[in-house]
Amino acid sequence: MGPSLLAQSKVYVANLMPPGARVALLTFAEFGFMFHLFLLGLQIDTSLVKSIGRKAVVIALTGTIIPLVFGVAAYKIVERAHPSEHAVALLVLITTNASTPFIDITGLLYEINILNSEIGRFASSISLVSDACVWFLAFIVKNIGAALKYSPTEPLSIIALVVGYYCFLLFLMRPLVIWIDSFTPKNRPIGENHLMAILCIVLVNGFLAEYIGEDARFGAFVLGLSLPNGPTLGAVMIQKLEVLCTGLLLPIYCATSGFKTKLSSIANMSAAKTELIIFAGYFGKFIGTILPSISFKIPFKESLTLTLIMCCKGVMEITTYSAWHDAQMITTQTYTLLLVSMIIITGLATIFIHHLYDPSTRYMVDTRRTVTNSAQNSDLRMLVCIHSEENVSSFTNLIEVSNPTKENPIFVCVLQLVEITGRAASILVKLDKQNNLLASNLDYSGQISNAFDHYENYSEGSVKIQNFKAIAPCASMHDDICTLAVDQKTSIIIVPFHKTWAIDGTAEANIPFLRSINKNVLKKAPCSIGVLVDRGKVGGNLSILTGNSSYLIAMLFIGGADDREALAYSIRMAGHPNVSLTVVQLIALGYNMSSYQNNLDKEAMDELWASINGNQKIKHEKESVRHGADTTQVIQKMANNFDLVIVGRYHEPHSPVTLGLREWSECPELGVLGDMLASSSFRFSVLVVQHNNPE
């Protein structure tokens, strides 16, 4: 399908466009692609190099060396049978075929939503090492070719020029861009004039690279890689240029690269010989990746997935093939075979990867943990997810409400959620108190960590804080959350609601990024989960909990696993000296749940009565209801009497308690009552709790 479409596009455009216009389009597209690579380099965090382990290095080296060995062996066999006039072209082919470009691999992982999975991060590290090895090898091969073609001393002058160029890039252009960016006020986007100045520097860098014999596109990538990806420079440039470069110019560049193919050139015996060498490289890549993966005791299914990922190629390969074809280092026949092979193998590998690997299986099979299963006076482990600084006060208050003590401290993992921009590698990292690895990238990151560290100090040993940061695509951010919950053995995950409210109760912001994450976490969480709808009461001053004022909590109990989990959490909160709890049990007239659920609900109520015994701060009220309207009236009476209302997410769909309430659902992921409490104009905050196994 791919080669056919490229060929049809080539013929069609060639018939319609005059030669001059075709050249102009090609030049325009190549400039766009150069800016695209600059943006990609800008998105990569160089701290990734520090996290590369021994396994990644070994697999990268074997996955690079073995394809070279197989390719050279195939080349020798072919040359012995049928000597070729294009020996240099075939050697260049072998070298390029051994590569696994980092940008292509991270782009593929981003598209199939496994960029921040365990295999995704491992593949990113391997491709980074492999890319560096092949670039160095290609540099050597290129200079050996120059030595053979011109004179033995020719490579020395080339090496001197290349080294001088990269020194110029790192010690003049990079500081110049950073200096221009320094004129931008803190937490403000970069100005248009400054942006244009930086783009001009990228253009000058490209011309210099071409002048000394380097590829302008690779030079732009290195320049972007050397720059800090901060909130002013990186994010704004990506926002302004990504649509133009990635959405428009990149497809044009790929199409113009297809114009250079010639399918008729591969219909002869010499094409079969070249294809044998190409196939040997892919087979070597397969063997060189899967064998060391298995030897490192990586499960076979994951080893096979990793191997297929490493065999994939993409836009960086296209630009490499195109550049070497333009330099007449490879023939049109070789260029066509490389593109056709790449399209077929990458397409098939992607299909198999989809069917082989599901990152959620790692945490779905783990033993499920809940607040209910944790003993009432035992340590509680929580994972709280933070999107912005506005979440800090509400979450620290919720932790405090959860009744931490020195005898039974609460262990809290604070995970900062940062949506990845574009297709850079994802990161899940623990933030060290003394050396915050990523605080320099986003200003508020260090502030959030410091706020929770101060709260830990304030708690005097009753709360233990660990700070983490996840930078990942929205579609797979839940993988980081669930994986961390498994690793840290947490009993409950708390996530912020996607809406925020002003002091007067009016809606202030809507964050679709958070809503998408919350939906995925609710589906796949390995433990219980709570969605915190903060309306300012929970986000008040800590003195409301540590002073003499009482903090009023209500829990609506209808029945079911989610309500029992919410009740268990509420009873735990009631142990705090400044918390008063009222459990309102809604009883549906003329409706009976299953005997199994009734027995479990009765056990939960017995635990509540055991907690009430001698405790004046816990109350139990019963309300009989016939339909949803009665339920609404009961909740309306609570409107101004509580600071926080806790409710389970799922309830029996045919229960009279919720009859008629589902038709007006705005946020169905919160359940019927949770949606009503979150969508209405109540002043209290809401915590919607889901047991780990949704019913």
Short mmCIF file of all heavy atoms in Angstrom, two decimals, residues 523-573:
data_model
loop_
_atom_site.label_atom_id
_atom_site.label_comp_id
_atom_site.label_asym_id
_atom_site.label_seq_id
_atom_site.Cartn_x
_atom_site.Cartn_y
_atom_site.Cartn_z
N LYS A 523 -10.45 2.88 35.40
CA LYS A 523 -10.63 1.58 34.74
C LYS A 523 -9.56 0.57 35.13
O LYS A 523 -9.84 -0.63 35.22
CB LYS A 523 -10.58 1.78 33.21
CG LYS A 523 -11.77 2.48 32.62
CD LYS A 523 -11.58 2.66 31.11
CE LYS A 523 -12.71 3.45 30.49
NZ LYS A 523 -12.49 3.71 29.04
N LYS A 524 -8.34 1.04 35.40
CA LYS A 524 -7.22 0.10 35.50
C LYS A 524 -6.44 0.17 36.81
O LYS A 524 -5.41 -0.50 36.96
CB LYS A 524 -6.25 0.34 34.34
CG LYS A 524 -6.88 0.11 32.98
CD LYS A 524 -5.87 0.20 31.86
CE LYS A 524 -6.50 -0.13 30.51
NZ LYS A 524 -5.53 -0.11 29.41
N ALA A 525 -6.88 0.95 37.77
CA ALA A 525 -6.12 1.11 39.01
C ALA A 525 -5.94 -0.21 39.74
O ALA A 525 -6.89 -0.99 39.86
CB ALA A 525 -6.81 2.12 39.91
N PRO A 526 -4.73 -0.50 40.26
CA PRO A 526 -4.48 -1.75 40.99
C PRO A 526 -4.89 -1.68 42.46
O PRO A 526 -4.69 -2.63 43.20
CB PRO A 526 -2.96 -1.91 40.86
CG PRO A 526 -2.46 -0.51 40.81
CD PRO A 526 -3.50 0.29 40.08
N CYS A 527 -5.42 -0.54 42.89
CA CYS A 527 -5.86 -0.38 44.27
C CYS A 527 -7.09 0.52 44.26
O CYS A 527 -7.60 0.86 43.20
CB CYS A 527 -4.75 0.21 45.13
SG CYS A 527 -4.18 1.85 44.58
N SER A 528 -7.54 0.90 45.42
CA SER A 528 -8.69 1.82 45.47
C SER A 528 -8.27 3.19 44.94
O SER A 528 -7.10 3.53 44.91
CB SER A 528 -9.20 1.94 46.91
OG SER A 528 -9.70 0.69 47.35
N ILE A 529 -9.27 3.97 44.55
CA ILE A 529 -8.99 5.29 43.98
C ILE A 529 -10.03 6.28 44.46
O ILE A 529 -11.21 5.93 44.63
CB ILE A 529 -8.96 5.24 42.43
CG1 ILE A 529 -8.73 6.64 41.86
CG2 ILE A 529 -10.23 4.63 41.88
CD1 ILE A 529 -8.51 6.65 40.37
N GLY A 530 -9.58 7.50 44.71
CA GLY A 530 -10.49 8.58 45.09
C GLY A 530 -10.30 9.78 44.19
O GLY A 530 -9.16 10.15 43.87
N VAL A 531 -11.40 10.37 43.74
CA VAL A 531 -11.36 11.59 42.93
C VAL A 531 -11.78 12.75 43.83
O VAL A 531 -12.90 12.77 44.33
CB VAL A 531 -12.29 11.49 41.71
CG1 VAL A 531 -12.20 12.77 40.87
CG2 VAL A 531 -11.95 10.27 40.85
N LEU A 532 -10.86 13.69 44.03
CA LEU A 532 -11.12 14.81 44.94
C LEU A 532 -11.65 16.01 44.17
O LEU A 532 -10.97 16.58 43.33
CB LEU A 532 -9.85 15.19 45.69
CG LEU A 532 -9.97 16.37 46.67
CD1 LEU A 532 -10.99 16.06 47.76
CD2 LEU A 532 -8.62 16.72 47.27
N VAL A 533 -12.89 16.39 44.47
CA VAL A 533 -13.51 17.59 43.91
C VAL A 533 -13.34 18.70 44.94
O VAL A 533 -14.06 18.75 45.94
CB VAL A 533 -15.00 17.35 43.59
CG1 VAL A 533 -15.61 18.57 42.94
CG2 VAL A 533 -15.17 16.12 42.71
N ASP A 534 -12.38 19.58 44.71
CA ASP A 534 -12.03 20.59 45.70
C ASP A 534 -12.77 21.90 45.41
O ASP A 534 -12.62 22.48 44.35
CB ASP A 534 -10.52 20.83 45.67
CG ASP A 534 -10.12 21.97 46.60
OD1 ASP A 534 -10.73 22.08 47.67
OD2 ASP A 534 -9.21 22.73 46.23
N ARG A 535 -13.57 22.34 46.38
CA ARG A 535 -14.27 23.61 46.24
C ARG A 535 -13.77 24.66 47.21
O ARG A 535 -14.46 25.63 47.49
CB ARG A 535 -15.78 23.40 46.43
CG ARG A 535 -16.46 22.72 45.25
CD ARG A 535 -17.96 22.97 45.30
NE ARG A 535 -18.63 22.38 44.16
CZ ARG A 535 -19.21 21.18 44.16
NH1 ARG A 535 -19.15 20.43 45.24
NH2 ARG A 535 -19.82 20.73 43.09
N GLY A 536 -12.61 24.46 47.78
CA GLY A 536 -12.03 25.49 48.61
C GLY A 536 -12.07 25.21 50.09
O GLY A 536 -11.24 25.73 50.84
N LYS A 537 -13.02 24.36 50.54
CA LYS A 537 -13.09 24.06 51.97
C LYS A 537 -11.91 23.18 52.38
O LYS A 537 -11.20 23.48 53.34
CB LYS A 537 -14.41 23.34 52.30
CG LYS A 537 -15.62 24.24 52.20
CD LYS A 537 -15.63 25.28 53.29
CE LYS A 537 -16.90 26.10 53.29
NZ LYS A 537 -16.92 27.12 54.34
N VAL A 538 -11.70 22.11 51.63
CA VAL A 538 -10.55 21.25 51.92
C VAL A 538 -9.27 22.01 51.66
O VAL A 538 -8.25 21.78 52.29
CB VAL A 538 -10.61 19.97 51.06
CG1 VAL A 538 -9.36 19.14 51.25
CG2 VAL A 538 -11.83 19.15 51.45
N GLY A 539 -9.27 22.95 50.71
CA GLY A 539 -8.08 23.72 50.39
C GLY A 539 -7.86 24.90 51.30
O GLY A 539 -7.15 25.83 50.95
N GLY A 540 -8.45 24.89 52.51
CA GLY A 540 -8.26 25.99 53.45
C GLY A 540 -6.95 25.87 54.20
O GLY A 540 -6.08 25.07 53.89
N ASN A 541 -6.83 26.67 55.25
CA ASN A 541 -5.60 26.69 56.03
C ASN A 541 -5.48 25.44 56.88
O ASN A 541 -6.48 24.90 57.35
CB ASN A 541 -5.59 27.94 56.94
CG ASN A 541 -4.21 28.20 57.49
OD1 ASN A 541 -3.72 27.44 58.31
ND2 ASN A 541 -3.61 29.29 57.04
N LEU A 542 -4.26 24.95 57.09
CA LEU A 542 -4.05 23.76 57.90
C LEU A 542 -4.57 23.93 59.33
O LEU A 542 -4.84 22.96 60.01
CB LEU A 542 -2.56 23.39 57.93
CG LEU A 542 -2.03 22.68 56.69
CD1 LEU A 542 -0.52 22.53 56.81
CD2 LEU A 542 -2.68 21.33 56.51
N SER A 543 -4.73 25.17 59.80
CA SER A 543 -5.18 25.40 61.17
C SER A 543 -6.59 24.88 61.39
O SER A 543 -7.00 24.63 62.52
CB SER A 543 -5.12 26.89 61.52
OG SER A 543 -5.97 27.63 60.66
N ILE A 544 -7.35 24.70 60.33
CA ILE A 544 -8.70 24.16 60.47
C ILE A 544 -8.65 22.74 61.02
O ILE A 544 -9.59 22.24 61.61
CB ILE A 544 -9.46 24.19 59.11
CG1 ILE A 544 -10.95 23.96 59.33
CG2 ILE A 544 -8.90 23.16 58.15
CD1 ILE A 544 -11.77 24.15 58.09
N LEU A 545 -7.52 22.06 60.80
CA LEU A 545 -7.37 20.69 61.29
C LEU A 545 -6.54 20.61 62.56
O LEU A 545 -6.71 19.70 63.36
CB LEU A 545 -6.71 19.82 60.21
CG LEU A 545 -7.47 19.76 58.89
CD1 LEU A 545 -6.67 18.96 57.88
CD2 LEU A 545 -8.83 19.14 59.09
N THR A 546 -5.64 21.54 62.74
CA THR A 546 -4.75 21.47 63.89
C THR A 546 -5.19 22.36 65.05
O THR A 546 -4.67 22.27 66.14
CB THR A 546 -3.32 21.87 63.48
OG1 THR A 546 -3.35 23.18 62.92
CG2 THR A 546 -2.78 20.90 62.43
N GLY A 547 -6.17 23.23 64.77
CA GLY A 547 -6.65 24.12 65.82
C GLY A 547 -7.82 23.52 66.57
O GLY A 547 -8.00 22.30 66.65
N ASN A 548 -8.67 24.41 67.11
CA ASN A 548 -9.80 23.95 67.92
C ASN A 548 -11.07 23.75 67.10
O ASN A 548 -12.03 23.16 67.58
CB ASN A 548 -10.07 24.96 69.05
CG ASN A 548 -8.89 25.04 70.01
OD1 ASN A 548 -8.27 24.03 70.30
ND2 ASN A 548 -8.59 26.25 70.48
N SER A 549 -11.11 24.28 65.88
CA SER A 549 -12.32 24.17 65.07
C SER A 549 -12.50 22.74 64.59
O SER A 549 -11.55 22.01 64.37
CB SER A 549 -12.24 25.12 63.88
OG SER A 549 -11.11 24.81 63.08
N SER A 550 -13.75 22.34 64.44
CA SER A 550 -14.07 20.98 64.03
C SER A 550 -14.26 20.91 62.52
O SER A 550 -14.84 21.81 61.91
CB SER A 550 -15.35 20.52 64.73
OG SER A 550 -15.64 19.18 64.41
N TYR A 551 -13.73 19.85 61.94
CA TYR A 551 -13.85 19.64 60.50
C TYR A 551 -14.96 18.62 60.27
O TYR A 551 -14.88 17.48 60.76
CB TYR A 551 -12.53 19.14 59.94
CG TYR A 551 -12.45 19.12 58.44
CD1 TYR A 551 -12.23 20.29 57.73
CD2 TYR A 551 -12.60 17.94 57.73
CE1 TYR A 551 -12.15 20.29 56.36
CE2 TYR A 551 -12.53 17.92 56.35
CZ TYR A 551 -12.30 19.09 55.67
OH TYR A 551 -12.24 19.09 54.30
N LEU A 552 -16.00 19.00 59.54
CA LEU A 552 -17.22 18.19 59.44
C LEU A 552 -17.23 17.39 58.14
O LEU A 552 -17.14 17.95 57.05
CB LEU A 552 -18.45 19.10 59.50
CG LEU A 552 -18.52 20.02 60.74
CD1 LEU A 552 -19.75 20.92 60.65
CD2 LEU A 552 -18.53 19.20 62.02
N ILE A 553 -17.36 16.08 58.30
CA ILE A 553 -17.38 15.17 57.15
C ILE A 553 -18.69 14.39 57.15
O ILE A 553 -19.15 13.92 58.21
CB ILE A 553 -16.19 14.18 57.19
CG1 ILE A 553 -14.87 14.94 57.13
CG2 ILE A 553 -16.27 13.18 56.04
CD1 ILE A 553 -13.65 14.04 57.24
N ALA A 554 -19.30 14.24 55.97
CA ALA A 554 -20.48 13.40 55.81
C ALA A 554 -20.16 12.28 54.83
O ALA A 554 -19.38 12.47 53.89
CB ALA A 554 -21.66 14.22 55.29
N MET A 555 -20.72 11.10 55.08
CA MET A 555 -20.54 9.97 54.18
C MET A 555 -21.91 9.41 53.82
O MET A 555 -22.71 9.08 54.71
CB MET A 555 -19.68 8.90 54.87
CG MET A 555 -19.20 7.80 53.94
SD MET A 555 -20.35 6.40 53.83
CE MET A 555 -20.12 5.89 52.15
N LEU A 556 -22.20 9.38 52.51
CA LEU A 556 -23.48 8.84 52.04
C LEU A 556 -23.32 7.36 51.77
O LEU A 556 -22.51 6.94 50.93
CB LEU A 556 -23.92 9.56 50.76
CG LEU A 556 -24.28 11.04 50.89
CD1 LEU A 556 -24.57 11.65 49.53
CD2 LEU A 556 -25.49 11.20 51.81
N PHE A 557 -24.10 6.53 52.46
CA PHE A 557 -23.98 5.08 52.32
C PHE A 557 -25.28 4.50 51.76
O PHE A 557 -26.35 4.65 52.35
CB PHE A 557 -23.67 4.44 53.68
CG PHE A 557 -23.36 2.97 53.59
CD1 PHE A 557 -22.06 2.53 53.41
CD2 PHE A 557 -24.37 2.02 53.66
CE1 PHE A 557 -21.76 1.18 53.31
CE2 PHE A 557 -24.10 0.66 53.56
CZ PHE A 557 -22.79 0.24 53.39
N ILE A 558 -25.16 3.86 50.58
CA ILE A 558 -26.29 3.17 49.97
C ILE A 558 -26.07 1.67 50.02
O ILE A 558 -26.96 0.88 50.32
CB ILE A 558 -26.50 3.62 48.51
CG1 ILE A 558 -26.81 5.12 48.46
CG2 ILE A 558 -27.62 2.82 47.84
CD1 ILE A 558 -26.90 5.68 47.05
N GLY A 559 -24.84 1.26 49.73
CA GLY A 559 -24.49 -0.16 49.73
C GLY A 559 -23.62 -0.50 48.53
O GLY A 559 -23.59 0.22 47.53
N GLY A 560 -22.86 -1.57 48.64
CA GLY A 560 -21.97 -1.98 47.57
C GLY A 560 -20.51 -1.81 47.96
O GLY A 560 -20.17 -1.21 48.99
N ALA A 561 -19.62 -2.37 47.13
CA ALA A 561 -18.19 -2.38 47.45
C ALA A 561 -17.60 -0.98 47.56
O ALA A 561 -16.79 -0.70 48.45
CB ALA A 561 -17.43 -3.19 46.39
N ASP A 562 -18.00 -0.08 46.65
CA ASP A 562 -17.45 1.28 46.69
C ASP A 562 -17.88 2.03 47.95
O ASP A 562 -17.07 2.75 48.56
CB ASP A 562 -17.89 2.06 45.44
CG ASP A 562 -17.23 1.55 44.17
OD1 ASP A 562 -16.37 0.65 44.27
OD2 ASP A 562 -17.58 2.03 43.08
N ASP A 563 -19.13 1.86 48.36
CA ASP A 563 -19.60 2.52 49.57
C ASP A 563 -18.91 1.96 50.81
O ASP A 563 -18.60 2.70 51.76
CB ASP A 563 -21.12 2.36 49.70
CG ASP A 563 -21.87 3.41 48.89
OD1 ASP A 563 -21.22 4.10 48.10
OD2 ASP A 563 -23.10 3.53 49.05
N ARG A 564 -18.66 0.65 50.81
CA ARG A 564 -17.97 0.05 51.97
C ARG A 564 -16.54 0.58 52.07
O ARG A 564 -16.03 0.83 53.17
CB ARG A 564 -17.97 -1.47 51.85
CG ARG A 564 -19.35 -2.09 52.01
CD ARG A 564 -19.27 -3.58 52.18
NE ARG A 564 -18.79 -4.25 50.98
CZ ARG A 564 -19.55 -4.70 49.99
NH1 ARG A 564 -20.87 -4.52 50.05
NH2 ARG A 564 -19.04 -5.31 48.94
N GLU A 565 -15.88 0.76 50.92
CA GLU A 565 -14.53 1.31 50.93
C GLU A 565 -14.56 2.77 51.39
O GLU A 565 -13.70 3.21 52.18
CB GLU A 565 -13.93 1.21 49.52
CG GLU A 565 -12.50 1.73 49.40
CD GLU A 565 -11.47 0.82 50.03
OE1 GLU A 565 -11.85 -0.22 50.60
OE2 GLU A 565 -10.27 1.15 49.95
N ALA A 566 -15.54 3.53 50.91
CA ALA A 566 -15.68 4.93 51.34
C ALA A 566 -15.95 5.02 52.83
O ALA A 566 -15.43 5.90 53.53
CB ALA A 566 -16.79 5.61 50.54
N LEU A 567 -16.74 4.08 53.34
CA LEU A 567 -17.05 4.07 54.77
C LEU A 567 -15.80 3.76 55.59
O LEU A 567 -15.55 4.39 56.63
CB LEU A 567 -18.15 3.04 55.06
CG LEU A 567 -18.56 2.90 56.53
CD1 LEU A 567 -19.14 4.21 57.05
CD2 LEU A 567 -19.57 1.76 56.70
N ALA A 568 -15.01 2.79 55.14
CA ALA A 568 -13.78 2.44 55.86
C ALA A 568 -12.83 3.64 55.92
O ALA A 568 -12.20 3.91 56.95
CB ALA A 568 -13.10 1.25 55.18
N TYR A 569 -12.72 4.38 54.81
CA TYR A 569 -11.85 5.55 54.77
C TYR A 569 -12.41 6.64 55.69
O TYR A 569 -11.67 7.33 56.41
CB TYR A 569 -11.75 6.05 53.33
CG TYR A 569 -10.63 7.04 53.09
CD1 TYR A 569 -9.59 7.22 53.99
CD2 TYR A 569 -10.61 7.80 51.92
CE1 TYR A 569 -8.56 8.12 53.75
CE2 TYR A 569 -9.58 8.71 51.66
CZ TYR A 569 -8.57 8.87 52.58
OH TYR A 569 -7.55 9.76 52.34
N SER A 570 -13.73 6.80 55.70
CA SER A 570 -14.37 7.81 56.55
C SER A 570 -14.14 7.51 58.03
O SER A 570 -13.86 8.42 58.83
CB SER A 570 -15.88 7.86 56.27
OG SER A 570 -16.12 8.14 54.91
N ILE A 571 -14.26 6.23 58.41
CA ILE A 571 -14.05 5.85 59.82
C ILE A 571 -12.61 6.13 60.22
O ILE A 571 -12.34 6.57 61.35
CB ILE A 571 -14.41 4.36 60.02
CG1 ILE A 571 -15.92 4.14 59.81
CG2 ILE A 571 -13.99 3.89 61.40
CD1 ILE A 571 -16.35 2.69 59.83
N ARG A 572 -11.68 5.90 59.29
CA ARG A 572 -10.29 6.21 59.59
C ARG A 572 -10.12 7.71 59.84
O ARG A 572 -9.41 8.13 60.75
CB ARG A 572 -9.39 5.75 58.44
CG ARG A 572 -7.92 5.98 58.73
CD ARG A 572 -7.02 5.58 57.59
NE ARG A 572 -5.64 5.71 58.00
CZ ARG A 572 -4.88 4.72 58.48
NH1 ARG A 572 -5.38 3.50 58.60
NH2 ARG A 572 -3.62 4.94 58.84
N MET A 573 -10.76 8.53 59.00
CA MET A 573 -10.67 9.98 59.18
C MET A 573 -11.25 10.41 60.52
O MET A 573 -10.75 11.35 61.15
CB MET A 573 -11.44 10.69 58.05
CG MET A 573 -10.80 10.57 56.68
SD MET A 573 -11.81 11.41 55.44
CE MET A 573 -10.80 11.22 53.97
#
